[in-house]
Amino acid sequence: MQPYDYIEMRVPAKAQYVGVARLAISGLASRLGFTYDEIEDLKIATSEAITNAVQHAYKEDDEGEVVVGCALFVDKLEIMVADHGKSFDFEETKKRVGPYNEQEEVKFLREGGLGLYLMETLMDDIKVLHEDGVTVFMTKYLDGERGEEDVERTISS
């Protein structure tokens, strides 16, 4: 028996399905006991990941799909968003965007950088894998529990 429940959904890589995934994430997070604010964070981060897949993974006339997987643990929710289309280099994209400065107003953030920034800021852990598309792994702990590595990463960035 695995120590978590796993739910997976596949949605067409179309903007109108981003909201469907958001609602599913909201329901799962509520079931685990996340607060309203934490659920909103999860919905925003997931929407950004799915929107990135919809906008960048497939050409306009491609019939792609986005896979959203959710692992429900006792103390955390892990969300995976994967596409199998054109890949982009998360780290390279992050370098081009440059470090976020809290003194900057949102309107000065370059296009494409805000979604990455939001995912990193709203989730406790984020990892990106580039193999046959892009897969984004995001973790949110109940009660804002974070690993030491995450805290150090946030402090140094």
Side-chain angles (χ1 to χ4, degrees):
M1 184 171 114
Q2 59 188 13
Y4 59 89
D5 292 331
Y6 181 77
I7 292 123
E8 183 176 288
M9 66 184 120
R10 296 175 177 270
V11 295
K14 297 178 180 175
Q16 59 265 38
Y17 293 101
V18 175
V20 173
R22 282 174 53 102
L23 286 174
I25 298 294
S26 175
L28 294 171
S30 177
R31 184 184 171 286
L32 284 177
F34 283 98
T35 66
Y36 174 81
D37 288 340
E38 291 168 331
I39 291 171
E40 291 303 307
D41 291 350
L42 284 159
K43 288 166 53 181
I44 292 169
T46 304
S47 291
E48 290 298 330
I50 297 170
T51 299
N52 279 342
V54 168
Q55 291 180 343
H56 303 292
Y58 304 100
K59 293 180 181 170
E60 198 168 296
D61 52 346
D62 284 349
E63 296 283 329
E65 68 179 6
V66 179
V67 179
V68 181
C70 301
L72 287 70
F73 292 84
V74 172
D75 62 340
K76 65 183 175 183
L77 175 60
E78 290 184 350
I79 301 169
M80 175 202 70
V81 176
D83 66 64
H84 300 290
K86 185 180 120 199
S87 178
F88 76 98
D89 187 327
F90 176 79
E91 291 299 330
E92 191 59 38
T93 301
K94 222 165 67 169
K95 285 179 192 170
R96 282 197 318 250
V97 175
Y100 172 70
N101 180 343
E102 291 181 358
Q103 306 303 318
E104 275 184 308
E105 293 181 35
V106 171
K107 67 181 179 181
F108 295 115
L109 291 173
R110 285 162 275 205
E111 184 178 351
L114 187 57
L116 297 174
Y117 166 75
L118 285 172
M119 285 188 274
E120 281 195 314
T121 301
L122 299 174
M123 301 299 287
D124 294 324
D125 188 31
I126 180 168
K127 293 179 180 144
V128 178
L129 176 67
H130 301 270
E131 286 182 10
D132 189 30
V134 174
T135 303
V136 178
F137 294 94
M138 301 180 287
T139 303
K140 185 82 169 172
Y141 291 93
L142 279 165
D143 301 323
E145 182 181 325
R146 302 179 76 174
E148 287 297 318
E149 182 180 307
D150 300 326
V151 173
E152 288 176 18
R153 186 186 66 194
T154 302
I155 291 170
S156 65
S157 61

